[in-house]
Amino acid sequence: MARPARTEAGADFYELDQREGQVEILPGRTTTVWGYNGIFPGPTFTARSGRRTVVRVRNMLTVPTAMHLHGGVTPPESDGYPTDLVLPTRCAPGQNRYDATATPPGAHSMDAERMPGDTTTAVRTYDYPLPQRAATLCYHDHRMDFSAPQVWRGLAGMFIVRDEEEDRLPLPGGDRDIPLMLADRSFEADGSFRYPALDPTCTRRPGVEDAYMDGVLGDVQIVNGAPWPELEVSNTRYRLRLLNASNARRYQLRLDTEDGAHPPFVQIGSDGGLLSAPQRLDTLAMAPAERFDVVVDFSRHPVGTRITLVNTAADGRMRQVMRFHTVRAERDDSQVPARLSAFDKLTATRAMPVRSFDFRRTGSDGDERQIWTINGQPFSTSKGWAAPRLGSVERWRFSSDFHHPIHLHLAQFQVVARGNRPPQACDAGRKDTVDVRPYEVVEVLARFDGYRGRYMLHCHNLEHEDMAMMASFEVV
């Protein structure tokens, strides 16, 4: 748990070091992580809506970083744009940032030019005013070209925002309100991370080996930094804040009991906070970076019951995610009310701007310049694809040739259609990430509240993001 270094009227100030740490993820083996404060996951922040959280980050690694508060309504200078870098406090010459001149021809087509607004510094202060509803957020590295390997090595954590509306609800709280960061990783025999980077030092050539262009999947399931854990619970309701923090893995989550039953999830929140009303779901489909807040009622099962959280989208040992073991009986005063939140529903109008973004692989098979693009173009820091007005709502259409979890910085949106069909149950509530499936068109209404300035949208399959599948927009 992150604790403020100091507190002043209206603001909490934190110190965060990005540094190597030695942790035991696999039993009996030591793994070197690149972690916030040297741990994986990074410390969990708990903040209040409307109260400033100020995080001073010092980079003690050997490579640049850029920290993004995912889901945060954040000023542009604190958003973690991929070229707003935190440089190492000590590094070798040439390691300050990706050097395009050192990249072999065809290895990567993303431009590395800098813009007047880009900044680099050895210590950066991120200022989060948090003018937003209670929600489960996360933070992670967002450095251009190298987000995927640097997140894989540990630069990720959870960030929880609370508010008075949520405080008034009789939902499970305290020890029964549990953040769960789901991720997959692979390891060498000595316990070190295995990742198919073209340049393991993350200093020169970005990208992964050709066989992993679709995204890197691990063979060890990790929850909160532990492989296949078991959590002892009482026979009461629990709130589980689920985050898919994998680079590319998608989950279809289900609860299985030993006698073959499948207890339901009661979803109460999504990326952007509470739903208007709870919904019962038998399974949860989670793309990378999506969050689901759910309540699970363990009182329906006798003490001694073991309930397994499984991923039906995976095979073998990756099918099991974690296990819950009901070990004691306790009093439970929590409830899930029929009404959760009264946020406004967005409505489309004929005068509303409509913008289209097509996410697909560009280049033919065997082409060494094959990359992931938006509207056929690789990412450029000098090109803006949209200029929405502050406070406006626009209709954005996302189309795809593959599984692409699309994330918008700053803006929260409401999914209004999948093809010619209504949104699915997993699309409920306010979102900042939506799973666009192969040859599908997803339409959203996005509200651009908060701040003017440069932001971006991108695929949150991190290997795709590093291979140019990003685009900038300017809120004016």
Side-chain angles (χ1 to χ4, degrees), residues 355-433:
R355 306 184 195 274
S356 297
F357 300 92
D358 184 58
F359 293 75
R360 68 183 56 245
R361 185 182 293 190
T362 299
S364 55
D365 289 342
D367 185 348
E368 64 177 1
R369 297 188 61 84
Q370 192 176 64
I371 53 173
W372 294 103
T373 62
I374 300 178
N375 291 346
Q377 300 294 318
F379 176 60
S380 169
T381 58
S382 61
K383 180 177 177 58
W385 284 93
R389 299 183 67 86
L390 181 66
S392 69
V393 178
E394 297 192 352
R395 190 178 190 112
W396 286 22
R397 293 174 174 158
F398 306 132
S399 55
S400 148
D401 66 342
F402 191 70
H403 292 285
H404 295 301
I406 308 308
H407 171 50
L408 269 65
H409 287 214
L410 181 75
Q412 293 187 353
F413 56 77
Q414 175 184 314
V415 181
V416 294
R418 284 187 177 272
N420 295 319
R421 299 179 300 279
Q424 298 179 350
C426 62
D427 298 321
R430 290 289 169 85
K431 303 276 290 173
D432 57 58
T433 307

Side-chain angles (χ1 to χ4, degrees), residues 243-262:
L243 160 68
N244 182 353
S246 298
N247 281 30
R249 181 174 296 278
R250 302 169 72 253
Y251 293 87
Q252 187 77 35
L253 297 176
R254 188 181 71 196
L255 292 168
D256 288 358
T257 65
E258 295 164 303
D259 60 1
H262 305 297

